Amino acid sequence: MVAPPVEELIAEAVLRRLDSPALIDALSGQTAADDQQQALAQQLQADQDQLQDLAGMFGNREISAAEWKAAREPVEARLRTTQRQLAGSSHNSALAGLAGTGSQLRGQWADLNLDRQHAIVAAVLDHAVIRPASPGVRGFDIDRVQPVWRL
C-alpha cells in the first residue's frame, strides 16, 4: 500500500473518532483518573516534605541515626509505591478539549503542524492493521485498513 492514502484514511478515521460517543465516554473516565493523579502527586509531595523534615531533625540532632532510619524506610516505601502508581496513571493530554470537535478540526487539520497531528493520532489510535490484498483487487482498498483504537 502507498502511504499517503493510508495516512489520509487514518487522519479521517481519527477525526471521526473524536466525535464518537465511545471516545467521549473514554475521556470522561479520564476525569476520575486526573483526580487520582492529582491526589497521588499531593501524596508524593507530602512524603518528600516528610523526608526533608526527618533529614533536618537528624541534622539538628533531634533524633538518632536509628530513629532517622526507622522513620525514613516507610516513607521511602510509600514514595516508591506512589511513583509507580503515578507512572501507571499518566495519560496523554493531547486530546484536552478535542472530544466532540472532529468536524471542526477537520477544516484545520492541514494547518496543524506534524507534531500536533501526530500527538492527536497517537492519543487516539494504538495502531492500524493492514490486511492482505484481496485477489484481483487493484488500487487502494479501504477495507484493508483496520484501526485499533487506544481510546
Side-chain angles (χ1 to χ4, degrees), residues 50-51 54 57 63-78:
Q50 189 174 19
L51 279 180
L54 283 170
M57 292 172 72
I63 59 174
S64 68
E67 291 170 320
W68 175 75
K69 188 175 181 181
R72 185 192 74 203
E73 288 175 358
V75 176
E76 286 179 338
R78 281 196 312 268

Side-chain angles (χ1 to χ4, degrees), residues 50-146:
Q50 189 174 19
L51 279 180
Q52 286 182 341
D53 290 345
L54 283 170
M57 292 172 72
F58 178 70
N60 292 332
R61 296 187 178 158
E62 297 171 21
I63 59 174
S64 68
E67 291 170 320
W68 175 75
K69 188 175 181 181
R72 185 192 74 203
E73 288 175 358
V75 176
E76 286 179 338
R78 281 196 312 268
L79 276 170
R80 286 189 298 273
T81 299
T82 303
Q83 287 167 338
R84 277 193 306 274
Q85 290 172 332
L86 264 172
S89 71
S90 65
H91 67 278
N92 192 331
S93 61
L95 299 179
L98 293 182
T101 64
S103 299
Q104 295 170 321
L105 192 56
R106 187 172 285 107
Q108 303 166 0
W109 188 255
D111 296 330
L112 297 177
N113 68 44
L114 288 178
D115 288 338
R116 182 70 175 131
Q117 289 178 357
H118 178 266
I120 293 168
V121 170
V124 176
L125 181 73
D126 186 45
H127 64 280
V129 176
I130 309 296
R131 295 189 187 119
S134 300
V137 175
R138 299 188 60 75
F140 183 70
D141 181 5
I142 192 171
D143 294 328
R144 289 183 58 199
V145 181
Q146 177 65 47

Side-chain angles (χ1 to χ4, degrees), residues 20-30 99:
S20 74
L23 182 116
I24 293 168
D25 288 346
L27 289 178
S28 67
Q30 285 189 349

